[in-house]
Amino acid sequence: MKSDRLLSILLLLQTRSRVTAAELAERLEVSVRTVYRDVEALSAAGVPVYAERGRRGGIALLPGFRTDVSGLTAPEAQALFVLASGGAHGALGLEGALGSALRKVMAALPAPHRPAAEQMSRRVIVEAGRWRSGARADADLRVLQGALFGDRRLRLGYRHGGGREAEYTADPYALVAKAGIWYLVADVEGEPRLFRADRVLWARELQEPVRRRPGQDPVAVWEGLREEVERRPEGVRVRVAVRASKAGLFTRIVGPFLVEPPRPEAGRQWCEAVLAYPEVRAARQLLQFGADVRVRAPRAARRVMAEGAAELAGLYGAGGEAGQG
């Protein structure tokens, strides 16, 4: 298409001071006469391009002329620089490459777009991790990534949430970063599975080619697993009273389990909230709030809290282990 040729000529002229008509004709696989016609079309469109005859001649742009051949609008440029602050690139070993790419994009942007793009990168910060989520070992994605892009099978040592350890041979589809946590989407014996990367104890890339199910799209496999997780039963609902002054802190810490968040009201010292735990013993998480959270129901959760409080009292009492020198 003629428009593609014109853009190609413009790109070449912006990266090189002068290009001969013969070289352009060879690169674009057209005749020299066609190149000169394209140059005339660029000139008619307002591009300051000219041709010089002679042994050292060629086709060139007037010095200092640049145009936005990227086609990026100002909002599109800003969106790219927000993307850079997500943190996923560093985990994949691409942080340096991303910085280099964005510098090139910045250089190619029209001058009026640059301040807004730079301001966006400094003033909009994307932090994937949750508040007070606790220290979590960083996942080493190198072996997982190597097998994924090399289309090889993986042998994994894995620690499940309850502490059980197991080994799997996995056929990887994708790596997913969700809420600051990396997941491996893979098949195990032909069934889709989801592995948290920070629970992978060790990983070894096998020499066997990957055995994915035919016709499966990685995005579709991930969405199926995500829906399955979201459809799982909530387990035990726990109703609590939260001291109004601690409602913000409470929400940040227990956020993933909240069904009905606390809503403080003026003049009221307490507000109510509802949590959904996978099992009743998980309600022990609430012991960290001391007297600022009171479990109302169910009775099983109140019993779990009483047992936990008794254990702590025994541990830190006068005769407990904590008092031993």
Side-chain angles (χ1 to χ4, degrees):
M1 293 177 61
K2 183 175 180 177
S3 59
D4 293 336
R5 287 203 315 273
L6 296 179
L7 180 58
S8 297
I9 292 172
L10 191 52
L11 283 168
L12 284 167
L13 295 177
Q14 286 197 168
T15 55
R16 296 172 58 181
S17 59
R18 183 177 281 100
V19 184
T20 67
E23 183 180 350
L24 284 173
E26 183 180 356
R27 281 175 173 262
L28 301 174
E29 298 181 346
V30 296
S31 68
V32 172
R33 180 175 295 182
T34 299
V35 168
Y36 280 119
R37 282 201 299 264
D38 288 346
V39 169
E40 288 176 4
L42 285 171
S43 180
V47 177
V49 60
Y50 64 96
E52 287 186 344
R53 304 286 180 178
R55 188 165 57 89
R56 295 187 178 181
I59 298 167
L61 291 168
L62 286 178
F65 174 79
R66 291 192 68 82
T67 188
D68 178 24
V69 295
S70 69
L72 289 174
T73 65
E76 288 169 343
Q78 292 171 356
L80 283 176
F81 284 83
V82 170
L83 174 69
S85 62
H89 308 85
L92 295 173
L94 298 174
E95 192 168 10
L98 177 68
S100 175
L102 289 177
R103 286 192 295 272
K104 292 176 182 177
V105 170
M106 182 69 81
L109 287 176
H113 290 5
R114 293 175 194 167
E118 186 173 359
Q119 187 180 67
M120 184 68 75
S121 69
R122 293 179 178 275
R123 297 191 180 181
V124 178
I125 301 167
V126 179
E127 173 59 57
R130 301 180 188 275
W131 285 107
R132 298 178 181 265
S133 57
R136 186 176 64 246
D138 292 332
D140 186 351
L141 302 178
R142 288 173 298 181
V143 178
L144 307 184
Q145 185 181 354
L148 175 63
F149 288 101
D151 290 327
R152 301 282 186 179
R153 309 189 86 190
L154 276 166
R155 187 68 180 167
L156 303 174
Y158 190 74
R159 183 181 64 252
H160 290 270
R164 180 176 65 87
E165 296 183 6
E167 294 186 11
Y168 299 96
T169 298
D171 296 296
Y173 282 96
L175 283 167
V176 177
K178 182 173 174 61
I181 301 174
W182 281 96
Y183 295 88
L184 173 69
V185 177
D187 276 353
V188 174
E189 297 181 352
E191 296 293 330
R193 295 287 298 270
L194 198 59
F195 297 94
R196 276 183 57 152
D198 57 355
R199 291 182 182 165
V200 174
L201 303 173
W202 53 265
R204 186 173 71 253
E205 180 180 341
L206 304 179
Q207 294 306 305
E208 303 172 46
V210 72
R211 301 177 188 174
R212 301 185 185 109
R213 285 168 289 139
Q216 294 295 312
D217 176 67
V219 175
V221 177
W222 154 247
E223 289 178 349
L225 288 167
R226 185 190 63 196
E227 290 174 5
E228 180 183 325
V229 171
E230 291 172 350
R231 286 197 304 265
R232 286 175 185 169
E234 294 176 345
V236 180
R237 288 205 172 202
V238 176
R239 184 165 55 86
V240 301
V242 183
R243 196 180 301 275
S245 60
K246 302 295 183 180
L249 177 65
F250 175 83
T251 299
R252 291 196 296 271
I253 293 177
V254 303
F257 303 103
L258 273 176
V259 176
E260 297 176 18
R263 292 185 170 83
E265 297 179 12
R268 300 193 63 176
Q269 186 178 2
W270 296 86
C271 50
E272 296 216 339
V274 177
L275 304 100
Y277 284 117
E279 58 180 13
V280 71
R281 285 184 60 82
R284 283 184 171 225
Q285 178 192 33
L286 303 175
L287 287 170
Q288 64 186 296
F289 297 102
D292 293 323
V293 171
R294 301 174 180 175
V295 173
R296 302 289 200 198
R299 286 186 180 180
R302 290 176 58 84
R303 189 160 51 247
V304 162
M305 294 293 287
E307 291 170 356
E311 288 179 17
L312 289 174
L315 179 62
Y316 294 106
E321 294 179 6
Q324 297 178 5

